[in-house]
Amino acid sequence: MAINFDQALGIHPQALMLREKRSELLAANLANADTPNYKARDLDFKAVLENTRNTLEAQSMERTQAGHMAPDKQLLGATMMYRNPQHASLDGNTVESQIEQAKYAENALQYQASLRFINSKFSGLMTAIRGE
Amino acid sequence: MSSMKIFDIAGSGMNAQSLRLNLVASNISNANSVSSSIDQVYKSRQPVFAAELRNIMEKNNAAGGVNVLGVVESQAPPVMEYAPNHPMADKAGYIYKPNVNTVEEMTNMMSASRSYQNNVEVLNTAKDLMLQTLRMGQ
């Protein structure tokens, strides 16, 4: 019986990848906190993960030529969304540092959670292999 | 790890904010540089930020850093002061002071330093996460 890593690890590698992408997005929001007209963006994690799961099961299309168009505003099959600011600012910037910081911290924690899941799966596999 | 882009993003943010801090320092230190002609007087300098459009256009790589477009000089008129006894005074007895608003510059400095801190925090967290990822499975 072969070990199937995809089955053993479940959805967690994809979750980890998405968390990383999201941390990039939130970092970009924070870095552009003083850029005029910058619009803060985020992705709906649940919808994205659901989407990723479906595309993993189904056949996904690939871009094999430089001229092929990328899907519009998509990241791993999810639409990026603009955040609704609580307070409008005069220069058109919609980044609210405190909110972005909170989201970033939340995302970092969730990343660690995903990492811990993967680690425990690995240690489970190791135990199985050693047969201790 | 597929990319180290988050370091670039936070780094570009830190870069932009440190330029802003530099300009604030330049403005404040020159706030009292008196000149005897309206052309030579120091003018307040401000940075212009823009989001990196290239990354946003490449729709899959959605996150982008900060791009510093350049530095502009404030167009506000310099302060004229009638001081005929001043050694720098021109023929009419006026000296010219820079159009630097010190209060504005101080708030600018606070904002820049907070934003810089934010970026450093992002960088530190990302570094921690990446180190943990490197230890995966151990």
Side-chain angles (χ1 to χ4, degrees):
Chain A
M1 192 184 80
I3 292 176
N4 185 338
F5 274 110
D6 273 352
Q7 258 175 28
L9 298 179
I11 192 102
H12 300 301
Q14 278 86 44
L16 204 63
M17 212 158 73
L18 274 178
R19 298 283 182 216
E20 193 209 328
K21 282 284 169 204
R22 185 164 181 234
S23 75
E24 262 175 30
L25 261 185
L26 295 175
N29 286 349
L30 275 170
N32 281 296
D34 297 317
T35 308
N37 281 319
Y38 181 85
K39 308 288 184 226
R41 288 171 308 170
D42 201 354
L43 39 86
D44 180 2
F45 188 82
K46 196 175 165 222
V48 187
L49 200 61
E50 201 67 30
N51 224 324
T52 319
R53 217 161 155 185
N54 293 338
T55 44
L56 276 180
E57 282 160 10
Q59 286 286 330
S60 63
M61 287 200 282
E62 274 199 23
R63 288 193 292 160
T64 51
Q65 298 267 324
H68 288 174
M69 282 188 194
D72 194 32
K73 283 180 191 155
Q74 285 201 338
L75 186 77
L76 294 171
T79 314
M80 309 242 303
M81 285 182 281
Y82 290 101
R83 209 183 299 292
N84 269 336
Q86 314 262 339
H87 304 284
S89 73
L90 275 179
D91 64 355
N93 185 308
T94 63
V95 179
E96 285 164 322
S97 290
Q98 70 281 16
I99 291 175
E100 299 299 332
Q101 243 176 341
K103 298 261 180 207
Y104 188 81
E106 185 195 355
N107 190 58
L109 267 182
Q110 287 163 339
Y111 185 96
Q112 281 178 319
S114 288
L115 210 56
R116 191 159 287 188
F117 275 123
I118 292 181
N119 271 332
S120 62
K121 296 265 185 195
F122 270 127
S123 59
L125 284 177
M126 288 300 273
T127 320
I129 290 168
R130 287 205 196 100
E132 285 161 352
Chain B
M1 265 327 200
S2 60
S3 72
M4 296 277 178
K5 247 181 91 191
I6 191 162
F7 290 108
D8 292 344
I9 292 168
S12 76
M14 281 158 67
N15 188 29
Q17 299 300 342
S18 78
L19 173 80
R20 195 166 154 214
L21 273 178
N22 275 338
L23 289 177
V24 166
S26 156
N27 288 344
I28 288 184
S29 63
N30 279 298
N32 291 315
S33 319
V34 178
S35 176
S36 51
S37 98
I38 201 161
D39 300 321
Q40 282 169 7
V41 70
Y42 179 87
K43 292 183 184 66
S44 165
R45 305 170 72 193
Q46 307 292 340
V48 183
F49 294 165
E52 267 179 7
L53 194 62
R54 182 173 46 83
N55 286 325
I56 294 170
M57 294 300 278
E58 265 176 45
K59 285 157 184 164
N60 279 337
N61 289 332
V66 188
N67 196 7
V68 180
L69 288 184
V71 176
V72 290
E73 285 187 339
S74 164
Q75 295 300 308
V79 181
M80 279 169 78
E81 196 177 298
Y82 185 65
N85 295 327
H86 198 284
M88 300 281 280
D90 64 1
K91 282 173 192 153
Y94 283 101
I95 54 169
Y96 299 90
K97 288 181 169 176
N99 55 359
V100 175
N101 184 338
T102 325
V103 178
E104 214 171 80
E105 296 300 332
M106 289 302 284
T107 50
N108 239 336
M109 184 181 79
M110 305 258 288
S111 164
S113 90
R114 292 282 178 244
S115 297
Y116 193 95
Q117 280 176 10
N118 266 348
N119 280 307
V120 171
E121 209 60 47
V122 165
L123 208 63
N124 270 332
T125 312
K127 192 194 75 183
D128 282 352
L129 290 181
M130 223 153 264
L131 283 176
Q132 285 181 27
T133 314
L134 287 176
R135 284 196 298 269
M136 191 199 291
Q138 282 177 16

